[in-house]
Amino acid sequence: MNVIACAKLVPTGTPTLGPDHLVVRSGVDGALDPGDEYGLELALQLTEQHGGDVTVVSMGPDEAGQALQRALAMGASRGALVSDPSLRGADALVTARVLAAAIKRYPFDLVVAGVESTDGYTGTVPVTVAEILGVASVTAVRRLEPSDAGARIERMTERGYDVYECPLPAVVTVTAGAVEPRYPSLKGIMQAKQKPIDRPSLQDLGLSDTKATQTVTAVKDAPTKAGGEIVQGDEAVVRIADLLAEAKVI
Amino acid sequence: MSDLKPSDLLDLDALLSDEERQIRDLAREWVHDRILPEVEDWYERGEFPARELAKELGELGFFGMQLEGIGDLGAVAYGLVELELEAGDSGLRSFVSVQSALAMYAIHAFGSDEQKAHWLPRMASGDAIGCFGLSEPDSGSDPSSMRTTARRDRADWIVNGTKMWITNGGVSDVAVVWANTDDGIRGFLVPCDLPGFSAPDIHKKMSLRASVTSELVMDDVRLPADAVLPGVEGLRGPLSCLNEARYGIVWGVMGAARTCFETALTYSKERMQFDKPIASFQLTQKKLADMAIELTKGTLLAYHLGRMKEDGRLQAEQVSIGKLNNTREAIAIARTSRGILGANGITLEYPIMRHMTNLESVLTYEGTEEVHTLVIGQVLTGIRAFT
């Protein structure tokens, strides 16, 4: 089973917005998105149990190579990084188009990703990639095993989980806690530098128009919540009961 | 405002390769995730989950990381890992040092092919734990006075004696034991489940509480002929192992110092007295500046020794300079940091007192402050002053 794992470099601290309303990425410490590590770990476990390779694909500035290095040190076989200045400010649709074009360059049975990135939080890129690739997608996966139909997948729901039989290839997003991401080992770090990282250009991917379909034109702070009421003294119990009744809690 | 990093004022980070940084970051991340949430409780209870951690450390590749054919790390990368481990706790670094630089190193350097094949893979994976028995109740800085003996009984060896202050002793599968024989001091690989061998733990410690420290008691322990390490005779054997281990200390203690300094720096900016942070006071700033300077100097010294080691030109006396300076400065930084935290500094809520008391042991083991001073004195004068 050949698996493509999507990887994103995200700021390690709280993301900040620049004057262009985009997340500041240059000069900021970054790391492989912790959400992506769940997808990557599932991919590594599947290939260890059933054979095949993991290819890790990323779009981002040159620094995104760090995220790929981490994935390679954890055990992925090769990486692909699409990096182009015109992609700065790419929205979810453009990102999905780029990733789908990069993924198509490799044979795959499965594409895995985190449920959402920990800087953008749209959660829309993986399913858009599936749509562009014309394959099935299942989100919030907690377990996946190969089956006669393709894959038996458990998908988290509010009440428990649903079980799907899903044809392959497919795109899945993996929930936090589904697997325990491994640490890279020292050997893994040293072997990672020998592993290939492809750097296809937008031209290689056959993409000419990568202009964002959506741009952020203004950012306004959310209104500050007014301070609460401090209840004290002999009347406190009655006042609290009234407040809870007002809030329809009791 | 300056963009210099307080714990790396000289930007030593820029001297490292990408791979060295990744290795350093891995060790830091693991210590952050796995050790820091629990070490205060281990310390208070006087416990160390050696078996559990050994498996994890083995999977990470930290055991024998510096040995050729096992981890193959360069000396600087190895040192960076030691630094990050000791930024967590000196007991953790000691655990890895004893396994890697004393027990595995002795087998790797002086063992037979059979001994290497039997022990090194399982020690690298963390399935087997090793310790190193040199010090005795009455034999510390003067190891040649050791009383442990190994005598021939036809093809076998019979070992008698007591070793003291043995890190990992009570949790070990194999002890590298140095003993007097008719042919001088020899090293032996002693499986810890043999009749006559026991390793009672030493309790009531006020230092390295999150670490297993034991006696090794050997009462007519019978070993086969091939238990002896064939590759070395005399004190050169244990002393070369100690030199390997104290190189790790040169780095490690800077980790303990960094944790203390960073804790004190953060605290000084938050602790309000006389309506302003105590970092506003000139006396506090002097303390912080002195600590930051010694921290970066000590780390630079470790880095320099590391590159010399990688070039194959590091001498034992130069390691003594590093061990003496960095341990002395680390404990000074810990004590100064404790002062900045005032009463809060004495609790286990903050890491400083734990590091400070740990460093009292590190100042003594693997060559005391006094012996390393006299080693340097001998280099300068040609006169040996410690015998």
Side-chain angles (χ1 to χ4, degrees):
Chain A
M1 175 181 274
N2 291 311
V3 186
I4 308 279
C6 298
K8 183 177 187 181
L9 186 82
V10 296
T12 44
T14 306
T16 54
L17 296 180
D20 55 0
H21 309 309
L22 299 173
V23 173
V24 176
R25 298 190 186 278
S26 67
V28 174
D29 286 340
L32 173 61
D33 192 325
D36 289 338
E37 290 200 1
Y38 295 103
L40 176 61
E41 178 62 37
L42 178 69
L44 292 170
Q45 290 183 12
L46 285 170
T47 54
E48 283 163 0
Q49 289 161 15
H50 305 288
D53 282 331
V54 176
T55 301
V56 58
V57 173
S58 186
M59 182 194 94
D62 280 344
E63 290 85 349
Q66 295 169 34
L68 292 186
Q69 284 295 335
R70 168 87 178 191
L72 295 175
M74 285 171 71
S77 298
R78 75 169 78 81
L81 173 61
V82 186
S83 189
D84 190 285
S86 70
L87 294 172
R88 168 82 180 143
D91 59 10
L93 178 57
V94 169
T95 304
R97 287 173 56 208
V98 170
L99 289 177
I103 287 166
K104 271 197 295 195
R105 292 162 58 89
Y106 304 96
F108 67 92
D109 303 297
L110 186 70
V111 177
V112 295
V115 172
E116 57 187 2
S117 64
T118 53
D119 57 355
Y121 288 106
T122 73
T124 57
V125 170
V127 288
T128 314
V129 167
E131 187 64 23
I132 295 168
L133 292 172
V135 300
S137 67
V138 182
T139 56
V141 169
R142 48 161 260 168
R143 195 179 167 99
L144 186 150
E145 290 167 353
S147 68
D148 292 341
R152 179 189 179 278
I153 296 175
E154 294 177 5
R155 178 181 186 275
M156 291 282 286
T157 66
E158 284 184 2
R159 292 184 163 192
Y161 62 90
D162 296 336
V163 179
Y164 291 80
E165 286 288 346
C166 178
L168 295 181
V171 176
V172 300
T173 68
V174 181
T175 55
V179 284
E180 181 70 26
R182 67 195 66 187
Y183 292 96
S185 66
L186 295 185
K187 279 225 159 31
I189 289 173
M190 290 194 282
Q191 287 164 354
K193 65 184 177 189
Q194 313 293 343
K195 295 178 178 175
I197 296 182
D198 300 333
R199 292 174 178 271
S201 66
L202 293 176
Q203 197 176 6
D204 294 337
L205 300 180
L207 296 171
S208 50
D209 180 15
T210 54
K211 192 170 173 351
T213 55
Q214 295 178 326
T215 52
V216 180
T217 54
V219 175
K220 289 185 179 166
D221 290 338
T224 310
K225 198 177 169 187
E229 178 185 344
I230 297 172
V231 182
Q232 52 194 355
D234 296 340
E235 306 301 317
V237 173
V238 176
R239 178 67 185 135
I240 290 170
D242 288 348
L243 286 169
L244 292 173
E246 257 176 53
K248 295 189 169 54
V249 176
I250 55 175
Chain B
M1 287 294 285
S2 163
D3 60 355
L4 300 182
K5 291 182 181 168
S7 299
D8 185 18
L9 291 176
L10 297 180
D11 195 18
L12 303 183
D13 198 58
L15 300 175
L16 305 176
S17 68
D18 284 346
E19 187 179 282
E20 286 167 339
R21 272 192 287 269
Q22 286 173 42
I23 289 167
R24 186 263 321 268
D25 291 348
L26 168 65
R28 187 179 296 186
E29 178 186 353
W30 183 80
V31 168
H32 175 270
D33 294 350
R34 189 68 184 86
I35 301 301
L36 296 187
E38 299 199 66
V39 67
E40 287 159 12
D41 289 333
W42 297 338
Y43 202 90
E44 184 155 59
R45 295 197 300 265
E47 294 173 1
F48 185 73
R51 284 282 161 197
E52 193 181 323
L53 292 177
K55 285 299 293 175
E56 294 181 41
L57 289 160
E59 283 168 14
L60 289 163
F62 287 176
F63 288 143
M65 58 189 148
Q66 85 289 12
L67 298 176
E68 191 180 344
I70 298 180
D72 291 310
L73 279 199
V76 169
Y78 164 56
L80 289 164
V81 173
E82 299 278 89
L83 187 152
E84 295 301 334
L85 295 176
E86 194 150 358
D89 194 82
S90 300
L92 173 67
R93 201 267 308 140
S94 298
F95 181 58
V96 175
S97 280
V98 168
Q99 174 88 340
S100 302
L102 291 178
M104 291 179 74
Y105 176 83
I107 298 169
H108 188 266
F110 307 124
S112 65
D113 289 345
E114 291 74 19
Q115 288 168 336
K116 291 178 192 176
H118 183 75
W119 286 111
L120 292 179
R122 66 186 71 178
M123 292 174 83
S125 66
D127 291 315
I129 296 175
C131 63
F132 184 88
L134 178 65
S135 294
E136 297 185 358
D138 298 315
S139 176
S141 294
D142 178 15
S144 64
S145 66
M146 71 170 64
R147 294 179 186 171
T148 299
T149 58
R151 64 177 168 79
R152 287 279 193 183
D153 182 41
R154 286 195 284 268
D156 291 347
W157 292 93
I158 307 291
V159 182
N160 279 287
T162 302
K163 297 293 181 181
M164 195 69 177
W165 310 117
I166 309 305
T167 300
N168 301 353
V171 293
S172 280
D173 300 284
V174 62
V176 176
V177 171
W178 301 92
N180 261 315
T181 72
D182 289 343
D183 303 322
I185 291 172
R186 300 295 303 266
F188 295 86
L189 298 186
V190 183
C192 297
D193 56 358
L194 287 185
F197 183 98
S198 61
D201 290 342
I202 297 170
H203 296 291
K204 298 186 178 177
K205 290 183 298 176
M206 296 294 283
S207 174
L208 291 179
R209 289 182 54 74
S211 176
V212 175
T213 314
S214 317
E215 279 182 77
L216 306 183
V217 181
M218 290 157 288
D219 183 12
D220 282 336
V221 174
R222 180 174 290 273
L223 298 173
D226 60 5
V228 70
L229 291 171
V232 71
E233 292 179 20
L235 269 182
R236 185 178 71 82
L239 295 185
S240 61
C241 298
L242 289 173
N243 201 47
E244 182 78 4
R246 67 175 68 105
Y247 167 77
I249 294 176
V250 177
W251 284 92
V253 291
M254 287 295 102
R258 187 188 73 198
T259 299
C260 294
F261 165 70
E262 288 178 344
T263 305
L265 177 62
T266 302
Y267 186 91
S268 71
K269 292 193 283 190
E270 293 170 353
R271 171 73 173 176
M272 302 293 287
Q273 289 293 280
F274 304 102
D275 297 326
K276 53 186 176 184
I278 60 172
S280 312
F281 299 108
Q282 291 182 352
L283 287 176
T284 305
Q285 290 204 3
K286 174 173 166 48
K287 290 175 192 173
L288 293 170
D290 286 346
M291 287 194 291
I293 290 168
E294 290 307 330
L295 178 62
T296 199
K297 276 163 63 181
T299 311
L300 181 59
L301 172 57
Y303 174 84
H304 176 65
L305 296 183
R307 291 294 184 231
M308 289 178 78
K309 189 168 166 62
E310 288 172 355
D311 292 344
R313 57 193 174 93
L314 181 63
Q315 298 183 36
E317 293 82 356
Q318 293 166 325
V319 179
S320 284
I321 294 171
K323 202 271 182 179
L324 173 61
N325 181 79
N326 284 10
T327 312
R328 194 160 60 186
E329 295 305 333
I331 204 165
I333 287 170
R335 289 170 179 158
T336 304
S337 298
R338 210 290 303 157
I340 289 175
L341 265 73
N344 282 316
I346 72 162
T347 72
L348 274 173
E349 297 295 318
Y350 293 90
I352 292 175
M353 192 80 169
R354 175 167 55 80
H355 281 296
M356 192 175 101
T357 54
N358 281 341
L359 288 167
E360 292 289 349
S361 294
V362 184
L363 195 62
T364 293
Y365 71 28
E366 321 254 345
T368 63
E369 188 177 13
E370 291 79 1
V371 167
H372 286 301
T373 301
L374 296 180
V375 165
I376 297 162
Q378 183 181 6
V379 170
L380 298 176
T381 64
I383 302 167
R384 185 177 166 94
F386 52 96
T387 52

